[in-house]
Amino acid sequence: QVQLVESGGGLVQPGGSLRLSCAASGIIVSFNSMGWYRQAPGKQRELVAAITSGGSTNYADSVKGRFTISRDNAQNTVYLQMNSLKPEDTAAYYCQRVLILPGRTEPFGSWGQGTQVTVSS
């Protein structure tokens, strides 16, 4: 049984930072490509960052230079460090296994509860 549990969200002022965690069970994150997605009200879920099993990373243009995806293999946990947060980063954030294909990255598996990030003054 695969379970991905997100945590670390909260309310933060513009310019602030948060670190999201995704604790995995039923999979070994170092053997998988993993992604962080976000979904704001009225918008589609979008991929913001991904890390391959080999450790390569990719980011949406909107978060490049501000967000960093990483993993701790010993903890079997994926992280998203978010710096210089903007109001437009407000969304529910989810982690998920991904399949990386030419030109696109596709999530697979069920979605967890996510963690809410709200950036507001």
Side-chain angles (χ1 to χ4, degrees):
Q1 182 178 356
V2 176
Q3 188 170 170
L4 302 171
V5 180
E6 302 94 342
S7 63
L11 175 64
V12 64
Q13 293 183 337
S17 298
L18 286 172
R19 188 176 75 161
L20 307 184
S21 298
C22 174
S25 60
I27 61 167
I28 299 174
V29 298
S30 64
F31 292 173
N32 288 268
S33 295
M34 304 292 296
W36 281 97
Y37 291 77
R38 67 186 181 189
Q39 187 169 29
K43 297 183 179 179
Q44 289 191 330
R45 185 177 283 113
E46 65 171 343
L47 179 70
V48 299
I51 184 168
T52 71
S53 59
S56 298
T57 58
N58 288 284
Y59 300 91
D61 288 343
S62 59
V63 307
K64 283 181 179 176
R66 301 189 297 120
F67 290 12
T68 303
I69 187 171
S70 63
R71 64 178 181 236
D72 184 329
N73 295 339
Q75 295 293 320
N76 205 35
T77 298
V78 181
Y79 300 98
L80 185 67
Q81 178 67 46
M82 305 186 295
N83 299 325
S84 302
L85 283 162
K86 303 175 180 179
E88 50 263 45
D89 296 318
T90 296
Y93 283 72
Y94 304 84
C95 65
Q96 186 58 277
R97 291 173 289 171
V98 298
L99 180 65
I100 299 176
L101 300 170
R104 70 185 194 275
T105 299
E106 298 288 346
F108 68 96
S110 60
W111 296 96
Q113 295 294 317
T115 186
Q116 179 68 38
V117 172
T118 302
V119 184
S120 176
S121 60

